[in-house]
Amino acid sequence: MKTEWRIFLVIAGFLLFATFLYGGWTAADSGGQVEWVGTVALLLSFLLCTMCGGFFWFVSRRIDLRPEDRPDGEIADGAGEIGFFSPGSYWPFGLALAASVAGFGLVFWQFWLLGLGLVAVILAACGLLFEYYSGTRRTAEH
């Protein structure tokens, strides 16, 4: 994870530089009036990249080095089971549909539609999260 956090923090540094450059440039170009939408968007992008980079840095301190992070790592070192990946699920479609309903409620400023969409987003996210935890639980003794 060393590579990931370095990439994110380099991008974050560039975004911070671009934020100050953009804010200064728009202020100088328009006679002292900063264009706030772009400046805030760049600042929020910087904060998001910093958050992701900080997370990867935090995780990289807690796990062993992966083959990608070691200079002597071989391709065969990364072989084996990576994890479980869902073969197919309808929950992402339901989640996108629910988010669309909530988005329409926000666009048209209809609070009942926004509330309905947010409840549907929560239910769809729970369905996606607990998709493989449903049913009876079987233990090794049975």
Side-chain angles (χ1 to χ4, degrees):
M1 296 244 164
K2 287 169 86 174
T3 307
E4 289 89 347
W5 72 261
R6 287 181 180 160
I7 289 172
F8 272 103
L9 291 182
V10 165
I11 293 171
F14 168 75
L15 286 170
L16 184 63
F17 171 73
T19 301
F20 286 114
L21 180 68
Y22 184 81
W25 198 324
T26 58
D29 193 38
S30 65
Q33 190 74 352
V34 175
E35 198 277 316
W36 288 108
V37 175
T39 307
V40 170
L42 284 168
L43 182 65
L44 290 176
S45 298
F46 157 74
L47 291 173
L48 181 64
C49 282
T50 304
M51 183 182 70
C52 293
F55 171 76
F56 284 132
W57 173 74
F58 182 75
V59 169
S60 72
R61 292 180 34 217
R62 304 235 180 302
I63 63 172
D64 294 331
L65 286 177
R66 300 175 305 167
E68 302 91 57
D69 296 330
R70 293 192 333 246
D72 63 335
E74 298 287 330
I75 294 175
D77 294 339
E81 184 176 332
I82 296 174
F84 173 75
F85 300 97
S86 179
S89 174
Y90 293 108
W91 285 110
F93 176 73
L95 190 59
L97 186 65
S100 298
V101 169
F104 276 125
L106 197 59
V107 165
F108 294 115
W109 208 242
Q110 299 294 319
F111 293 113
W112 65 273
L113 191 59
L114 177 63
L116 180 73
L118 291 177
V119 168
V121 164
I122 291 171
L123 291 175
C126 289
L128 182 65
L129 180 66
F130 296 116
E131 181 175 15
Y132 292 102
Y133 292 105
S134 61
T136 59
R137 186 176 183 141
R138 298 188 181 175
T139 59
E141 293 92 31
H142 292 86

